[in-house]
């Protein structure tokens, strides 16, 4: 039977339209959709990403690129970084980035789909994408509908629960519409309309570890050269991101409101973008943490409902979503406990940076 997708929103909620920076696993999406990468990037205003440049994180003026792909060759059973540390102690090692093909390409603003480096045994360019999340959502929607999915859009006015089991039986949308179902995937973001509000699943606060609680985003005009990497710049109360797209640049500022006001954060962001800004900067408030359960009764959480981290949320969100969807497909027929353990392993890896 055709799948039914209901895009329900609470009142006054609008899609964020933020730009996304990803990790190499996003390329599995193109494989799954059978879309050539060039066609995908053209559709979503995307660019190639070789890594992330971190600026001022160790000390003011410091910068390095955390790249995808190999860094140096193994020496016997030793990974390259062990050899490099010893060579640095002896004063004979160059900067670590000099041994990374990705880092060299990023500094030169170059990209090519190189699979391996000759006979060295090293992989070639490891890469991911920057893209417009709204355009990706539209593309996925069109593909799903062509495959037979039915979409119903509306505001969620009320959630109907089974009085005996506590399972969700239906959503009441605006216009007195009723959408029933056996399984609901909650993608409602920080509000957690189904998992949190309807089913009462508690939220585990991580703000004692990650105190940032606010973000401001704004687009600006594109400038040359078009850099093949994301940039993350640390400052006194948080950090700023820069994500280049084909036609513009996505910028954002994550900060801790006890140490910086919204007005100060907005001024800082606009001062440190590279082109004329488009539109009005938008403020987002959040609490870092996670829901106590990712699957409760007949509701599965995805995206910001799984966990909210302020350290490059795009990468962690998308990687967690991809893994959760893969786990969900593998758990049919329903195996709630196995799904929870799988998502728990991914989430703990994010928590501990494994």
């Amino acid at each position: 039977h055709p799948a039914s997708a209901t895009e329900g929103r609470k009142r006054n909620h609008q899609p964020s339209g933020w730009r996304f920076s990803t990790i190499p696993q996003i390329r599995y999406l193109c494989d799954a959709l059978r879309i050539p990468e060039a066609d995908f990037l053209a559709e979503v205003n995307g660019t190639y990403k070789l890594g992330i440049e971190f600026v001022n994180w160790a000390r003011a003026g410091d910068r390095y690129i955390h790249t995808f792909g190999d860094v140096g060759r193994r020496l016997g059973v030793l990974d390259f970084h062990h050899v490099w540390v010893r060579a640095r102690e002896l004063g004979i090692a160059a900067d670590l980035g000099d041994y990374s093909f990705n880092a060299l390409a990023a500094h030169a603003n170059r990209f090519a789909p190189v699979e391996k480096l000759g006979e060295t045994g090293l992989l070639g360019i490891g890469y991911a994408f920057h893209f417009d999340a709204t355009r990706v959502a539209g593309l996925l929607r069109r593909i799903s509908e062509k495959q037979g999915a039915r979409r119903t859009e509306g505001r969620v006015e009320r959630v109907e629960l089974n009085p005996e089991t506590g399972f969700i039986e239906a959503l009441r949308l605006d216009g007195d519409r009723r959408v029933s179902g056996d399984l609901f995937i909650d993608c409602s973001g920080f509000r957690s309309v189904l998992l949190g509000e309807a089913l009462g699943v508690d939220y585990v606060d991580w703000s004692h570890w990650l105190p940032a609680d606010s973000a401001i985003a704004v687009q600006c005009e594109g400038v040359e050269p078009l850099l093949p990497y994301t940039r993350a710049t640390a400052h006194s109360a948080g950090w700023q991101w820069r994500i280049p797209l084909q036609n513009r640049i996505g910028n954002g500022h994550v900060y801790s409101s006890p140490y910086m006001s919204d007005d100060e954060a907005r001024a800082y962001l606009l001062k440190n973008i590279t082109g004329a800004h488009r539109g009005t900067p938008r403020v987002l408030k959040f609490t870092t943490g996670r829901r106590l359960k990712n699957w409760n009764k007949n509701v599965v959480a995805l995206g910001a409902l799984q966990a909210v981290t302020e350290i490059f949320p795009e990468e962690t969100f998308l990687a967690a979503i991809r893994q959760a969807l893969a786990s969900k497909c593998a758990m049919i027929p329903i195996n709630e406990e196995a799904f929870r353990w799988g998502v728990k392993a991914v989430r703990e890896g994010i928590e501990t940076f494994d």
Side-chain angles (χ1 to χ4, degrees):
H1 298 285
S4 178
T6 299
E7 184 177 344
R9 305 192 185 115
K10 278 291 188 179
R11 291 187 182 276
N12 301 322
H13 174 78
Q14 295 296 329
S16 66
W18 286 30
R19 313 313 127 199
F20 271 78
S21 172
T22 64
I23 57 179
Q25 286 86 339
I26 193 64
R27 294 163 58 193
Y28 297 150
L29 178 63
C30 290
D31 293 340
L33 299 177
R34 299 180 181 178
I35 299 177
E37 288 182 0
D39 294 346
F40 175 79
L41 292 176
E43 182 74 25
V44 300
N45 283 334
T47 60
Y48 289 105
K49 174 187 174 184
L50 302 180
I52 306 170
E53 182 184 46
F54 290 91
V55 180
N56 299 337
W57 287 76
R59 64 191 65 85
D62 179 76
R63 62 177 62 212
Y64 77 97
I65 294 184
H66 183 83
T67 63
F68 308 129
D70 290 332
V71 179
R73 294 180 61 181
R74 291 172 61 90
L75 181 62
V77 298
L78 296 177
D79 287 329
F80 176 77
H81 65 275
H82 296 298
V83 180
W84 178 80
V85 169
R86 178 57 177 158
R88 187 177 60 172
E89 292 174 349
L90 298 175
I92 59 176
D95 183 83
L96 184 63
D98 290 347
Y99 303 95
S100 166
F101 192 33
N102 268 47
L104 295 174
H107 285 305
N109 297 326
R110 297 283 189 247
F111 172 79
V114 179
E115 294 187 3
K116 63 179 182 178
L117 300 182
E119 302 301 323
T120 65
L122 296 175
L123 297 177
I125 291 284
Y127 63 93
F129 307 135
H130 306 113
F131 54 61
D132 184 324
T134 302
R135 282 180 169 264
V136 172
L139 174 63
L140 296 179
R141 179 183 301 157
R142 293 193 298 273
I143 292 174
S144 299
E145 290 175 338
K146 287 181 180 179
Q147 296 295 324
R150 295 194 302 264
R151 174 172 169 262
T152 303
E153 181 176 355
R155 292 190 302 270
V156 178
E157 303 284 0
R158 184 163 53 89
V159 178
E160 295 182 2
L161 301 180
N162 184 295
E164 295 181 359
T165 65
F167 279 48
I168 292 179
E169 292 188 337
L171 306 180
R172 285 286 184 177
L173 306 183
D174 56 328
D176 198 29
R177 293 173 294 165
R178 184 179 187 273
V179 179
S180 60
D182 298 315
L183 179 70
F184 294 84
I185 299 178
D186 192 346
C187 306
S188 57
F190 305 128
R191 288 291 302 276
S192 187
V193 175
L194 304 185
L195 198 68
E197 293 183 2
L199 298 187
V201 175
D202 290 334
Y203 192 75
V204 180
D205 192 331
W206 286 351
S207 57
H208 55 292
W209 292 320
L210 299 172
D213 59 5
S214 306
I216 297 180
V218 71
Q219 302 173 34
C220 73
E221 300 291 339
V223 296
E224 296 293 338
L226 185 64
L227 304 180
Y229 52 86
T230 300
R231 176 175 291 152
T233 304
H235 59 75
S236 61
W239 56 275
Q240 181 173 334
W241 77 75
R242 181 184 188 275
I243 300 175
L245 301 183
Q246 293 181 23
N247 61 339
R248 59 191 179 280
I249 297 172
N251 305 276
H253 184 187
V254 180
Y255 57 99
S256 181
S257 60
Y259 302 97
M260 179 176 283
S261 70
D262 293 345
D263 289 340
E264 290 174 322
R266 184 180 296 104
Y268 186 95
L269 174 63
L270 294 178
K271 178 182 177 182
N272 289 283
I273 60 178
T274 53
H277 73 273
R278 296 181 176 183
T280 303
R282 291 161 292 131
V283 179
L284 173 69
K285 298 294 182 179
F286 58 89
T287 301
T288 54
R290 63 175 177 84
R291 288 288 159 187
L292 190 60
K293 296 180 180 180
N294 296 98
W295 186 338
N296 189 47
K297 300 185 185 299
N298 62 335
V299 176
V300 179
L302 285 182
L305 279 167
Q306 294 186 79
V308 179
T309 62
E310 55 89 1
I311 300 182
F312 273 93
E314 316 92 65
E315 282 90 337
T316 52
F317 277 1
L318 291 176
I321 288 171
R322 186 192 65 81
Q323 182 63 48
L325 284 173
S327 298
K328 175 65 187 73
C329 292
M331 299 307 167
I332 296 174
I334 291 175
N335 187 333
E336 179 178 346
E337 192 61 31
F339 176 83
R340 285 180 183 171
W341 277 106
V343 172
K344 180 175 182 288
V346 174
R347 187 185 65 236
E348 289 181 348
I350 293 172
E351 291 179 33
T352 58
F353 300 96
D354 288 343

